[in-house]
Amino acid sequence: MASHRRPKQPGQTRVTVLTATAAAAVALSAQSASADPLPDPGKKGAQAQVDRLYEEATQATEKYNGAKETAGKLEKEVKDLQETAARKQSSLNGLRNQVGSIAAAQYRSGGLDPSVQLLLSSDPDGFLDKASAMDRLSAQQVAALQQYESQQRGLQQQRREATEKLQDLQSVRKGLGDRKKEIQGKLAQAQKLLNTLTAEERARIAEKEERANRSSERVQLGNEASASQRAAAAFSAAKGRVGLPYVWGASGPNSFDCSGLTSWAFNQAGVSIPRTSQAQANVGTRINSLSALKPGDLIIMRTDLSHVGFYAGNGQILHAPKPGAQVRYESIARSGMPFMWGVRI
């Protein structure tokens, strides 16, 4: 089997391996997101608590990513509704001038038709029901009044929809802020716990991470082909990001959370997939067996579907695992996260 070697990043120096302590501090000022194995129930002390906090932070990150994606869609919908309302208002202003001309003509000819009076009032709804009052208007005038009333209704509806979307957007933005505070709070707790460790304990944690990164450089992937050209192209893009840091909420090109890596990689292949691991779990074709996976297939992990990576071949996953880690290859069996299913795109 072929041995994987980390590709050289163009124009970049080699990413220095972060210690767990330093990475946690960086995560507070930058942005990080996605998956840490469940701590062994038998483990005790600060390290087990740090593991738990990191996992909770990565799970909260996927919810943050989902809310951010929703906010982006709502912002576009609000903008579109407001632009449509502005166009309708402009058109309505022109029709109002026509209605004014009708009113002026009728006034000069002996009085203002009651239907026109009603239309020009603050509540023109129902003016067409006044059929008996329409006999003094020409067919062309009636058509102009009908068009005016129809567009006025449309404008009111457009403005109501925009107001409702704005309220939804405000609610989602508040949720984003709350989720961000939650993530930063958990990372701050983890940092505080790491600060209670001795220098020897911190060095041991850093060495564990460094071993994982070194193992990633020597991983044996085999030569199995991807199931599709799209998956092969996305997987190739992700392989080029090995060694870059995990950062919550990041989607490349120089830092990633778990779903940020997979969505970025597929985007490089010209394929748009959802931003979050939960949404990515429900696209493409589901593959229920690990043995049926091909390199470039997505791997959905954890019962809440809060982690995702690429199947890399030979039982390995390529992913952005957790705060303090780098994009790397790891054994699926040793990840500590239950495999749910694969997704083929």
Side-chain angles (χ1 to χ4, degrees):
M1 294 188 196
S3 175
H4 170 77
R5 288 291 182 269
R6 180 187 304 172
K8 209 169 186 180
Q9 296 300 316
Q12 292 183 342
T13 57
R14 187 184 183 86
V15 178
T16 304
V17 176
L18 298 175
T19 66
T21 304
V26 170
L28 289 173
S29 59
Q31 281 194 328
S32 290
S34 188
D36 187 35
L38 287 166
D40 183 340
K43 287 170 65 179
K44 303 293 181 184
Q47 181 58 60
Q49 294 178 60
V50 168
D51 289 344
R52 170 61 67 182
L53 287 165
Y54 276 169
E55 177 170 354
E56 290 174 352
T58 60
Q59 290 171 323
T61 293
E62 286 306 287
K63 295 177 182 176
Y64 171 90
N65 290 336
K68 188 174 181 181
E69 188 173 43
T70 299
K73 290 177 181 177
L74 283 171
E75 285 171 355
K76 185 179 184 308
E77 289 174 5
V78 168
K79 182 180 178 183
D80 289 346
L81 284 167
Q82 289 175 333
E83 288 177 350
T84 301
R87 287 195 297 271
K88 285 184 181 291
Q89 182 64 66
S90 177
S91 175
L92 197 63
N93 290 342
L95 284 172
R96 189 175 185 85
N97 290 337
Q98 291 184 39
V99 171
S101 298
I102 294 172
Q106 288 203 349
Y107 183 79
R108 287 193 298 270
S109 65
L112 195 61
D113 190 285
S115 66
V116 179
Q117 291 178 0
L118 182 62
L119 181 62
L120 295 176
S121 72
S122 60
D123 182 20
D125 292 349
F127 81 94
L128 292 178
D129 294 335
K130 306 288 185 178
S132 61
M134 302 294 287
D135 55 359
R136 288 164 54 192
L137 298 178
S138 69
Q140 186 177 3
Q141 290 173 329
V142 169
L145 295 175
Q146 288 174 328
Q147 187 179 8
Y148 181 89
E149 193 262 355
S150 175
Q151 290 205 14
Q152 189 173 59
R153 285 177 182 274
L155 177 59
Q156 290 170 347
Q157 177 63 26
Q158 210 81 28
R159 285 174 171 166
R160 279 195 296 269
E161 289 180 18
T163 299
E164 290 170 2
K165 292 289 183 185
L166 274 172
Q167 291 171 346
D168 291 342
L169 179 57
Q170 289 168 356
S171 176
V172 170
R173 281 175 173 166
K174 182 181 182 303
L176 268 176
D178 293 343
R179 193 66 68 186
K180 184 175 182 179
K181 288 178 184 177
E182 178 187 358
I183 294 165
Q184 291 180 326
K186 290 183 184 301
L187 293 175
Q189 284 180 269
Q191 178 63 60
K192 186 176 180 181
L193 284 167
L194 286 168
N195 289 340
T196 68
L197 301 178
T198 65
E200 182 180 353
E201 288 170 328
R202 289 197 294 270
R204 195 157 51 239
I205 293 170
E207 172 58 25
K208 180 181 176 183
E209 282 300 314
E210 193 168 353
R211 279 199 309 273
N213 292 326
R214 287 199 302 267
S215 296
S216 179
E217 293 179 348
R218 299 190 300 270
V219 69
Q220 301 289 327
L221 299 179
N223 298 307
E224 189 174 9
S226 298
S228 71
Q229 188 174 356
R230 295 187 300 273
F235 183 43
S236 177
K239 286 191 287 188
R241 303 291 93 181
V242 169
L244 294 180
Y246 171 100
V247 176
W248 74 264
S251 55
N254 298 315
S255 58
F256 302 89
D257 61 30
C258 72
S259 58
L261 175 66
T262 50
S263 58
W264 176 87
F266 268 103
N267 189 54
Q268 305 315 296
V271 179
S272 177
I273 64 173
R275 175 61 175 86
T276 68
S277 58
Q278 290 90 349
Q280 290 176 20
N282 294 305
V283 298
T285 302
R286 185 174 297 191
I287 309 295
N288 292 316
S289 171
L290 266 172
S291 62
L293 292 175
K294 302 286 186 182
D297 289 341
L298 295 178
I299 301 179
I300 308 301
M301 311 287 278
R302 293 197 183 123
T303 55
D304 64 352
L305 315 180
S306 62
H307 189 60
V308 64
F310 283 101
Y311 181 67
N314 199 28
Q316 301 288 318
I317 182 173
L318 171 58
H319 64 159
K322 61 180 180 179
Q326 300 173 1
V327 175
R328 66 193 183 201
Y329 298 93
E330 287 186 313
S331 166
I332 297 169
R334 295 178 183 176
S335 69
M337 292 178 282
F339 166 78
M340 302 309 295
W341 59 78
V343 173
R344 183 163 295 162
I345 295 175

